[in-house]
Amino acid sequence: LEKQQTRKLDLVIKVLKQKPELNVQLMQLTDTIAEQEDLALYEAKKRFYIERVKSPPSDTLSEEDEEEIADIHNKDSLFNRYLNEKLEISSSQLVSTEDKAIRLIGWKKLNNEQQQLMQRRNQQVLDYLTADKSVSPERIKVVINHDPLKSVGVPQPRYLITYWEEE
C-alpha cells in the first residue's frame, strides 16, 4: 500500500476507535474493462519488448526494462506491426491496439490475472487494518463490487467505505 492509501485507511481506523459500536465495509470499485485493457497492453508490450527490443532477449526484466516498456506508446508503429504479425491481422483491418492486445493475451488469462489482482488488493487492505493496526476482523468486511454500474469510468481502483451499526 502507498502512503496516501494508508493515510485514508488510518481515517477509517480513527472513526472505528472513536465509535466502537460501528463496523465498516470497504467495497472495491474497479472498472474491470479498463483494467483488463491496461493489463493486456502491459503484457503485450512486455512480450514485444522481450522478443524485439531487448538485447539479448531474456525473460528477466530490470527496472530500466520496465521503464522502457512503460514508454512504448499504444500507437507505436513497430509495436502495432508486431501485434498484427502475431495475430495475422492486415494493417487495413480496423482493430484497436487494446483489442489486439486482449486477443494476444487472451480473455481467460486476463480475467484470472485481474481477479487475483483484486483479491490481493483486498487482502492488503484487510492485513493493514487487522494485522498492522490491530482492528478486530469482526468489524471489517472487504468485498469486491459485483455491480458494474458502480465501477464504470472509475479512473483507478478505489474503495467505497460504508459504516454500519449492528442492531
Side-chain angles (χ1 to χ4, degrees), residues 6 8-18 128-129 133 135 163:
T6 58
K8 292 193 181 197
L9 290 173
D10 289 342
L11 292 173
V12 170
I13 294 165
K14 184 177 179 182
V15 169
L16 292 174
K17 284 184 179 177
Q18 289 175 350
Y128 179 78
L129 293 171
K133 297 296 181 174
V135 176
Y163 295 96

Side-chain angles (χ1 to χ4, degrees), residues 10 28 48-49 55-56 70 81 84 86-87 110 112 117 120-121 125 131 167:
D10 289 342
Q28 185 178 161
F48 165 71
Y49 182 80
S55 182
R81 186 177 308 145
N84 289 344
K86 287 290 186 182
L87 298 169
L110 288 170
N112 287 342
L117 184 60
R120 278 195 309 270
R121 278 188 208 116
V125 168
E167 293 183 22

Side-chain angles (χ1 to χ4, degrees), residues 80-91 100:
N80 273 279
R81 186 177 308 145
Y82 168 81
L83 291 172
N84 289 344
E85 288 171 9
K86 287 290 186 182
L87 298 169
E88 298 178 356
I89 295 174
S90 73
S91 58
K100 291 177 195 177

Side-chain angles (χ1 to χ4, degrees), residues 3-70:
K3 192 171 191 162
Q4 180 183 3
Q5 295 166 321
T6 58
R7 277 191 298 219
K8 292 193 181 197
L9 290 173
D10 289 342
L11 292 173
V12 170
I13 294 165
K14 184 177 179 182
V15 169
L16 292 174
K17 284 184 179 177
Q18 289 175 350
K19 303 245 181 202
E21 69 278 8
L22 291 183
N23 299 298
V24 67
Q25 174 179 283
L26 295 100
M27 180 185 294
Q28 185 178 161
L29 302 177
T30 303
D31 185 335
T32 54
I33 294 169
E35 189 167 69
Q36 284 181 350
E37 288 175 349
D38 290 344
L39 285 169
L41 284 167
Y42 170 77
E43 288 297 326
K45 288 174 183 180
K46 183 170 96 173
R47 287 185 187 184
F48 165 71
Y49 182 80
I50 288 170
E51 292 177 26
R52 302 279 174 92
V53 178
K54 188 168 173 65
S55 182
S58 165
D59 287 340
T60 306
L61 297 174
S62 67
E63 197 171 307
E64 184 180 311
D65 291 331
E66 292 286 352
E67 288 173 11
E68 288 193 39
I69 291 168

